Amino acid sequence: MRHAIEYYRQYRLRELVASQLETQLAQAELEVLKMQLQPHFLFNTLHAISALLYRDAESADRMISRLSDFLRLTLDSAGVQEVPLKREMEYLDKYLEIEQVRFGERLEVVRKVDSDTLDLLVPNLLLQPLVENAVRHGIAPRFRGRLDYHHRASEGRVPRDGGGRRWHRLLGTAS
């Protein structure tokens, strides 16, 4: 009997270690992705500010202020794996404010967000790189563009249990 108990204890311990390793791997992958994407956005924004400095100093000043706000939000959540969609939308709004200065009337943004989805937990800084990619490849090369993004609860409902609200329940599109 003692051998069976020890075997079961070792089995549970291995399960726990495997689960912790999976979590650490997912966190490391997310951090690598953030490190790859953030500098790209930062360098592009600084380049745009540099180009604006001599043409439109007021717009360059607005971009610097908005970049500062965006970076402050980003630093405030450093190390946080998941944030409420509401917070993620704040990041996205700051990013889009920067791009609005850069593209002006060329960039039209249409946002449709179910209020029921705002408390859902999503991976930190998930949306900004997706929208940045849509802007860079879909709008920047064209004369005008429109960015539509929608968030809705799957199956028309959002769980109300508080702890079980996870990002995989969220369907979002950027086009």
Side-chain angles (χ1 to χ4, degrees):
M1 178 71 164
R2 178 175 241 182
H3 181 37
I5 292 172
E6 180 61 25
Y7 179 80
Y8 179 73
R9 190 182 71 72
Q10 290 293 324
Y11 169 75
R12 296 293 294 171
L13 183 61
R14 281 191 300 273
E15 271 188 342
L16 178 62
V17 169
S19 175
Q20 290 171 339
L21 288 173
E22 284 179 24
T23 300
Q24 289 174 354
L25 176 62
Q27 289 172 344
E29 289 172 343
L30 185 59
E31 287 302 316
V32 166
L33 182 61
K34 283 185 200 176
M35 289 185 325
Q36 289 173 345
L37 296 171
Q38 290 260 351
H40 181 267
F41 162 69
L42 185 57
F43 293 138
N44 283 348
T45 303
L46 291 172
H47 183 271
I49 291 169
S50 175
L52 273 176
L53 276 175
Y54 300 104
R55 284 183 315 173
D56 186 354
E58 190 175 311
S59 292
D61 187 53
R62 277 197 319 270
M63 273 185 95
I64 291 170
S65 175
R66 290 176 177 151
L67 177 60
S68 173
D69 292 342
F70 178 81
L71 292 174
R72 193 173 299 112
L73 280 173
T74 304
L75 291 174
D76 286 347
S77 66
V80 176
Q81 297 302 313
E82 292 180 326
V83 296
L85 178 62
K86 179 177 10 185
R87 179 70 175 214
E88 187 72 8
M89 298 302 294
E90 290 176 31
Y91 301 144
L92 192 55
D93 289 343
K94 292 299 177 192
Y95 167 75
L96 286 170
E97 288 172 5
I98 292 167
E99 294 297 48
Q100 289 281 187
V101 172
R102 187 170 161 211
F103 291 106
E105 293 179 6
R106 288 182 48 206
L107 175 60
E108 177 186 354
V109 177
V110 177
R111 175 180 166 181
K112 296 178 186 171
V113 181
D114 287 351
S115 60
D116 286 348
T117 64
L118 293 176
D119 292 326
L120 292 173
L121 295 176
V122 298
N124 191 17
L125 294 175
L126 170 75
L127 297 178
Q128 184 272 328
L130 296 173
V131 172
E132 179 182 359
N133 194 47
V135 169
R136 185 176 46 178
H137 295 290
I139 294 171
R142 299 179 184 179
F143 182 71
R144 286 187 58 84
R146 176 175 159 163
L147 174 68
D148 290 298
Y149 61 99
H150 309 271
H151 305 282
R152 67 184 184 284
S154 64
E155 302 169 10
R157 59 188 169 82
V158 175
R160 298 284 182 197
D161 61 351
R165 295 184 235 178
R166 304 288 297 191
W167 69 274
H168 64 272
R169 301 275 303 160
L170 179 70
L171 301 176
T173 61
S175 59

